[in-house]
Amino acid sequence: MTKTGLEIATGGNDYNEKSPRSKSLEESFIDLEKTRIFLKARFDKHKDRVSLDTIRPLPTFLGITGPSFCFAPDAFTPPSKHFDKTTAEKVTQRMSLNFAYFLSNYAMIFVMVFVIITLLHPAMIIYSGIVCFLWKAHNVMVKSNIPLVVMEKDIGKYITVDVRTKILYLITLWVVIAYCFKPFIIVVSLTGLLVLSHAFMRDPKHIESSRHYSDDDSIQSSGDEGGSSGSEVVVNKSDAV
């Protein structure tokens, strides 16, 4: 009798323990939440630097000079013509300068690629909208304490808030893997290819020379205007005499 009672008690303890599958699901949810927090922190760090005021003009971004809108031959050059010990340092320095200077332009490229790829995948838009609606309805029901009634039966006693949350997490994970993962990879790949290629090849020296050239042009034009206004004054004096 005592042995049977011990076996029943032990079985009850094993039943109350969480299964490995439920533990793995909880760990997956924790990893998703950590990833979301990390991405949000990175976004908040750089969002103040990205604005419409810091978007560089298209000629500066593409290295276009002159009235004919041609690409300058020295706008895109490799960081080093020879592979030596300083090559890695030159590459890192150039890409850091370009990322700091063209950060808003790179963000615009990401947005444009994201919009185009999203429009090419209507199924992702539909299923993502359904998931957002389910989460919104779930949050409203939890905050307002609305009972889950189906055919005049309160099934909230059986499908609790915790169970519904886990079901929504599983649905979200399925939508992300089935419909959002491939477009996400395409967006990241195209954006990374365009941004890294530009940051690697765009020569900061050409940017500085273009800025000095435009400053000299503005000074020269202002001087010409001053000279013409001075000549007008002389003419007026001669007319007065």
Side-chain angles (χ1 to χ4, degrees):
M1 181 66 68
T2 305
K3 184 176 180 182
T4 306
L6 290 174
E7 289 177 352
I8 294 174
T10 305
N13 292 333
D14 292 337
Y15 179 77
N16 292 329
E17 290 182 357
K18 294 182 178 179
S19 62
R21 186 176 181 180
S22 62
K23 288 182 179 180
S24 62
L25 287 175
E26 290 184 359
E27 290 176 356
S28 301
F29 297 150
I30 293 173
D31 292 338
L32 288 174
E33 187 66 19
K34 288 181 179 179
T35 303
R36 187 186 68 82
I37 295 173
F38 173 76
L39 293 176
K40 186 176 183 300
R42 298 292 296 179
F43 176 77
D44 293 338
K45 181 180 178 181
H46 296 286
K47 71 176 182 179
D48 295 333
R49 298 173 55 190
V50 178
S51 63
L52 294 176
D53 297 332
T54 57
I55 294 178
R56 310 304 173 186
L58 190 61
T60 303
F61 183 73
L62 297 178
I64 299 174
T65 57
S68 59
F69 295 99
C70 296
F71 290 96
D74 55 344
F76 293 91
T77 58
S80 178
K81 296 181 179 179
H82 304 284
F83 186 79
D84 52 13
K85 296 180 180 180
T86 62
T87 301
E89 182 180 357
K90 291 178 181 178
V91 171
T92 304
Q93 184 178 5
R94 171 177 286 193
M95 297 187 72
S96 299
L97 290 174
N98 286 330
F99 269 110
Y101 190 72
F102 293 111
L103 183 61
S104 297
N105 297 75
Y106 294 153
M108 181 177 291
I109 291 176
F110 171 76
V111 172
M112 293 174 62
V113 173
F114 175 80
V115 171
I116 294 172
I117 299 301
T118 301
L119 294 176
L120 293 176
H121 293 80
M124 180 185 68
I125 301 175
I126 295 172
Y127 282 98
S128 298
I130 294 173
V131 169
C132 291
F133 173 76
L134 292 175
W135 276 108
K136 184 67 176 179
H138 174 70
N139 292 331
V140 170
M141 292 180 66
V142 172
K143 290 181 180 179
S144 303
N145 197 16
I146 300 174
L148 186 62
V149 179
V150 178
M151 298 179 63
E152 299 181 356
K153 292 183 179 180
D154 187 9
I155 63 174
K157 299 178 181 179
Y158 309 100
I159 306 177
T160 60
V161 175
D162 188 30
V163 173
R164 280 179 280 169
T165 302
K166 290 182 179 180
I167 292 174
L168 285 177
Y169 270 119
L170 291 175
I171 294 174
T172 304
L173 185 63
W174 173 72
V175 171
V176 168
I177 295 175
Y179 296 98
C180 301
F181 183 72
K182 183 180 177 180
F184 173 77
I185 294 298
I186 295 174
V187 170
V188 172
S189 301
L190 286 178
T191 305
L193 179 62
L194 294 173
V195 170
L196 292 177
S197 300
H198 184 275
F200 181 80
M201 294 298 296
R202 189 69 173 96
D203 193 353
K205 295 180 181 179
H206 177 264
I207 300 173
E208 290 295 329
S209 62
S210 300
R211 291 173 60 184
H212 290 311
Y213 179 76
S214 60
D215 293 340
D216 293 340
D217 287 344
S218 61
I219 294 173
Q220 183 177 359
S221 61
S222 63
D224 293 339
E225 291 177 357
S228 61
S229 62
S231 62
E232 290 176 357
V233 173
V234 173
V235 171
N236 290 334
K237 285 183 179 181
S238 62
D239 292 340
V241 173

